[in-house]
Amino acid sequence: MQITVNGEPHQLPTPLSLREALDRLGLVLPTHAALALNERVIPRSDLDSTQLQEGDQLLIIKPTFGG
């Protein structure tokens, strides 16, 4: 299946949970970051139970500090 992560396409096997996809892509979700799946924020507690589908869009949202 093809998904998009932060605007970049990635090809992954199915079925995969969000946590499995992050692991396969070598992505670490920073402590203060959020993960949105198709514009819906997913709680960390749901990473194992949320399954990805063809065409899903993931966005890792990191806070920016400064002024």
Side-chain angles (χ1 to χ4, degrees):
M1 82 179 139
Q2 185 161 335
I3 65 167
T4 304
V5 181
N6 287 357
E8 295 184 27
H10 292 275
Q11 191 70 32
L12 295 172
T14 57
L16 280 180
S17 70
L18 278 174
R19 185 172 312 279
E20 291 169 325
L22 291 172
D23 289 345
R24 280 188 174 264
L25 295 170
L27 298 173
V28 176
L29 193 58
T31 304
H32 291 85
L35 179 67
L37 172 61
N38 301 325
E39 299 182 7
R40 189 180 124 241
V41 174
I42 304 296
R44 288 176 188 266
S45 60
D46 291 348
L47 292 180
D48 289 317
S49 62
T50 302
Q51 296 294 309
L52 290 174
Q53 304 291 322
E54 176 71 31
D56 278 348
Q57 295 183 13
L58 297 178
L59 182 61
I60 299 173
I61 305 162
K62 301 176 189 175
T64 306
F65 301 97

